[in-house]
PDB file of all heavy atoms in Angstrom:
ATOM      1  N   ALA G 138       2.528   3.378  11.706  1.00 97.00           N
ATOM      2  CA  ALA G 138       2.384   2.352  12.737  1.00 97.00           C
ATOM      3  C   ALA G 138       2.886   2.926  14.058  1.00 97.00           C
ATOM      4  O   ALA G 138       3.935   3.575  14.100  1.00 97.00           O
ATOM      5  CB  ALA G 138       3.179   1.112  12.370  1.00 97.00           C
ATOM      6  N   GLN G 139       2.105   2.709  15.115  1.00 96.00           N
ATOM      7  CA  GLN G 139       2.468   3.220  16.427  1.00 96.00           C
ATOM      8  C   GLN G 139       1.653   2.483  17.479  1.00 96.00           C
ATOM      9  O   GLN G 139       0.512   2.115  17.231  1.00 96.00           O
ATOM     10  CB  GLN G 139       2.177   4.732  16.510  1.00 96.00           C
ATOM     11  CG  GLN G 139       2.430   5.375  17.841  1.00 96.00           C
ATOM     12  CD  GLN G 139       3.893   5.338  18.249  1.00 96.00           C
ATOM     13  OE1 GLN G 139       4.774   5.570  17.434  1.00 96.00           O
ATOM     14  NE2 GLN G 139       4.163   5.040  19.501  1.00 96.00           N
ATOM     15  N   SER G 140       2.218   2.303  18.649  1.00 94.00           N
ATOM     16  CA  SER G 140       1.493   1.665  19.737  1.00 94.00           C
ATOM     17  C   SER G 140       0.416   2.602  20.280  1.00 94.00           C
ATOM     18  O   SER G 140       0.612   3.818  20.327  1.00 94.00           O
ATOM     19  CB  SER G 140       2.449   1.298  20.870  1.00 94.00           C
ATOM     20  OG  SER G 140       1.724   0.796  21.981  1.00 94.00           O
ATOM     21  N   ASP G 141      -0.698   2.025  20.685  1.00 91.00           N
ATOM     22  CA  ASP G 141      -1.739   2.809  21.359  1.00 91.00           C
ATOM     23  C   ASP G 141      -1.642   2.632  22.873  1.00 91.00           C
ATOM     24  O   ASP G 141      -2.544   2.987  23.609  1.00 91.00           O
ATOM     25  CB  ASP G 141      -3.132   2.416  20.851  1.00 91.00           C
ATOM     26  CG  ASP G 141      -3.541   1.017  21.245  1.00 91.00           C
ATOM     27  OD1 ASP G 141      -2.725   0.266  21.831  1.00 91.00           O
ATOM     28  OD2 ASP G 141      -4.699   0.635  20.964  1.00 91.00           O
ATOM     29  N   GLY G 142      -0.529   2.073  23.330  1.00 92.00           N
ATOM     30  CA  GLY G 142      -0.331   1.808  24.753  1.00 92.00           C
ATOM     31  C   GLY G 142      -0.651   0.368  25.109  1.00 92.00           C
ATOM     32  O   GLY G 142      -0.225  -0.120  26.152  1.00 92.00           O
ATOM     33  N   ASP G 143      -1.369  -0.319  24.225  1.00 90.00           N
ATOM     34  CA  ASP G 143      -1.725  -1.724  24.443  1.00 90.00           C
ATOM     35  C   ASP G 143      -1.091  -2.611  23.383  1.00 90.00           C
ATOM     36  O   ASP G 143      -0.551  -3.667  23.680  1.00 90.00           O
ATOM     37  CB  ASP G 143      -3.246  -1.882  24.427  1.00 90.00           C
ATOM     38  CG  ASP G 143      -3.690  -3.305  24.642  1.00 90.00           C
ATOM     39  OD1 ASP G 143      -3.169  -3.961  25.569  1.00 90.00           O
ATOM     40  OD2 ASP G 143      -4.553  -3.781  23.867  1.00 90.00           O
ATOM     41  N   SER G 144      -1.174  -2.192  22.140  1.00 91.00           N
ATOM     42  CA  SER G 144      -0.605  -2.965  21.031  1.00 91.00           C
ATOM     43  C   SER G 144      -0.283  -2.031  19.873  1.00 91.00           C
ATOM     44  O   SER G 144      -0.751  -0.892  19.826  1.00 91.00           O
ATOM     45  CB  SER G 144      -1.581  -4.049  20.581  1.00 91.00           C
ATOM     46  OG  SER G 144      -2.759  -3.463  20.073  1.00 91.00           O
ATOM     47  N   ASP G 145       0.523  -2.530  18.939  1.00 94.00           N
ATOM     48  CA  ASP G 145       0.856  -1.724  17.771  1.00 94.00           C
ATOM     49  C   ASP G 145      -0.361  -1.626  16.858  1.00 94.00           C
ATOM     50  O   ASP G 145      -1.050  -2.609  16.605  1.00 94.00           O
ATOM     51  CB  ASP G 145       2.035  -2.342  17.005  1.00 94.00           C
ATOM     52  CG  ASP G 145       3.344  -2.183  17.755  1.00 94.00           C
ATOM     53  OD1 ASP G 145       3.436  -1.281  18.609  1.00 94.00           O
ATOM     54  OD2 ASP G 145       4.275  -2.956  17.487  1.00 94.00           O
ATOM     55  N   CYS G 146      -0.618  -0.424  16.371  1.00 94.00           N
ATOM     56  CA  CYS G 146      -1.797  -0.148  15.551  1.00 94.00           C
ATOM     57  C   CYS G 146      -1.387   0.562  14.264  1.00 94.00           C
ATOM     58  O   CYS G 146      -0.283   1.066  14.140  1.00 94.00           O
ATOM     59  CB  CYS G 146      -2.775   0.752  16.315  1.00 94.00           C
ATOM     60  SG  CYS G 146      -3.462  -0.029  17.779  1.00 94.00           S
ATOM     61  N   ILE G 147      -2.317   0.613  13.331  1.00 95.00           N
ATOM     62  CA  ILE G 147      -2.158   1.357  12.090  1.00 95.00           C
ATOM     63  C   ILE G 147      -2.986   2.631  12.218  1.00 95.00           C
ATOM     64  O   ILE G 147      -4.152   2.580  12.627  1.00 95.00           O
ATOM     65  CB  ILE G 147      -2.661   0.538  10.877  1.00 95.00           C
ATOM     66  CG1 ILE G 147      -1.810  -0.718  10.707  1.00 95.00           C
ATOM     67  CG2 ILE G 147      -2.678   1.374   9.615  1.00 95.00           C
ATOM     68  CD1 ILE G 147      -0.364  -0.454  10.373  1.00 95.00           C
ATOM     69  N   TYR G 148      -2.392   3.749  11.867  1.00 95.00           N
ATOM     70  CA  TYR G 148      -3.096   5.030  11.890  1.00 95.00           C
ATOM     71  C   TYR G 148      -3.221   5.527  10.456  1.00 95.00           C
ATOM     72  O   TYR G 148      -2.245   5.552   9.707  1.00 95.00           O
ATOM     73  CB  TYR G 148      -2.343   6.043  12.748  1.00 95.00           C
ATOM     74  CG  TYR G 148      -2.384   5.672  14.213  1.00 95.00           C
ATOM     75  CD1 TYR G 148      -1.470   4.785  14.747  1.00 95.00           C
ATOM     76  CD2 TYR G 148      -3.375   6.182  15.042  1.00 95.00           C
ATOM     77  CE1 TYR G 148      -1.522   4.413  16.081  1.00 95.00           C
ATOM     78  CE2 TYR G 148      -3.437   5.819  16.384  1.00 95.00           C
ATOM     79  CZ  TYR G 148      -2.510   4.939  16.894  1.00 95.00           C
ATOM     80  OH  TYR G 148      -2.574   4.569  18.205  1.00 95.00           O
ATOM     81  N   LEU G 149      -4.432   5.890  10.078  1.00 95.00           N
ATOM     82  CA  LEU G 149      -4.749   6.387   8.742  1.00 95.00           C
ATOM     83  C   LEU G 149      -5.332   7.780   8.910  1.00 95.00           C
ATOM     84  O   LEU G 149      -6.292   7.968   9.672  1.00 95.00           O
ATOM     85  CB  LEU G 149      -5.764   5.458   8.070  1.00 95.00           C
ATOM     86  CG  LEU G 149      -6.445   5.943   6.796  1.00 95.00           C
ATOM     87  CD1 LEU G 149      -5.440   6.103   5.674  1.00 95.00           C
ATOM     88  CD2 LEU G 149      -7.551   4.965   6.397  1.00 95.00           C
TER      89      LEU G 149
END
Side-chain angles (χ1 to χ4, degrees):
Q139 177 64 42
S140 174
D141 68 354
D143 180 47
S144 64
D145 288 338
C146 295
I147 296 296
Y148 291 85
L149 168 65

